[in-house]
Amino acid sequence: MTVAGASLGFAIGALSPTAEVATTAGIPVMVVLMTVGIINPSGVDQSEPPPAVVETLKQLSPIAFAIKALCLAEYRGMEFQDPFARGTRQGFFARGRNLLRDLPKMGALALVQNGDQVLDELGLGNDDYKGAMKRLALLSCTNLVLSWIGLHFQASSDSSGPRKRS
C-alpha cells in the first residue's frame, strides 16, 4: 500500500505543472480513492452491482486492494471459537471479554462462524490474497510509468531550465 500510494503521489506531482496544482489535484484524488476503496461492513448486495464509475474507481484505488489483501490474509481459513468451550481457567480480563459474547449481534456479520463466511458477507469470497497484491504491484508500476512520462514532458516543455551542451 505504501509503494502504491507513494507512486500515485509521484504520478500526480510529475503530471502537474506546479506544486500548487499537484496539491490541489492530489488531495481530492486521494479522498475519492479512499472513499471508493472502503468495504461496506454491513455486507454486499450481490444482486445489484455498483455503478460503472464506482467500479472503475475501485480498480484504480490502492486502498481498495490493500484492504482486500488485509481481510483475505486475516480471515481466510480462520475458525471462530466459543470462549467458554475451551474449558480453561480464565482471568479477570478474559471473563470481561467473554461478557461481550452475550451482547446482541446485528448486521451481516452477526451469525458468522468462520473467516470464510466473513469474506463471503464482505463480497470477497472469490478473491485471493495474491491477486490483490498483484493488483497493488500493477498499480504501483503504472503510476511510476506515468511519473516518468510526466517528468519527461515537464522537462521537455520547460524552456527556462539549463540546456544540454553538445
Side-chain angles (χ1 to χ4, degrees):
M1 169 57 203
T2 303
V3 173
S7 66
L8 177 62
F10 293 157
I12 292 171
L15 293 169
S16 302
T18 65
E20 292 81 19
V21 172
T23 303
T24 304
I27 293 171
V29 167
M30 290 304 287
V31 168
V32 168
L33 292 179
M34 283 191 284
T35 305
V36 299
I38 60 170
I39 296 175
N40 185 356
S42 65
V44 176
D45 183 13
Q46 301 290 351
S47 65
E48 192 173 322
V53 173
V54 173
E55 196 58 39
T56 302
L57 288 173
K58 270 188 178 186
Q59 297 303 315
L60 298 174
S61 175
I63 291 112
F65 291 104
I67 291 173
K68 280 183 184 181
L70 177 68
C71 289
L72 290 165
E74 183 70 25
Y75 290 120
R76 182 74 66 201
M78 180 185 276
E79 292 293 327
F80 302 146
Q81 297 177 6
D82 182 4
F84 291 121
R86 285 185 269 172
T88 60
R89 187 174 167 202
Q90 299 173 354
F92 175 74
F93 292 111
R95 281 181 279 178
R97 275 184 271 147
N98 290 336
L99 291 176
L100 294 175
R101 179 182 67 89
D102 297 330
L103 292 176
K105 295 177 180 152
M106 297 178 279
L109 304 178
L111 301 174
V112 296
Q113 297 174 351
N114 60 43
D116 293 327
Q117 288 177 340
V118 172
L119 293 174
D120 287 339
E121 291 297 327
L122 293 176
L124 301 175
N126 297 329
D127 294 343
D128 66 330
Y129 177 78
K130 287 183 180 180
M133 293 306 289
K134 285 179 183 177
R135 289 292 303 197
L136 276 172
L138 180 65
L139 281 172
S140 299
C141 291
T142 303
N143 289 333
L144 290 174
V145 167
L146 285 174
S147 299
W148 179 79
I149 291 170
L151 288 173
H152 178 72
F153 284 118
Q154 292 296 336
S156 65
S157 67
D158 187 19
S159 61
S160 63
R163 302 202 181 237
K164 293 182 180 179
R165 296 183 186 204
S166 4

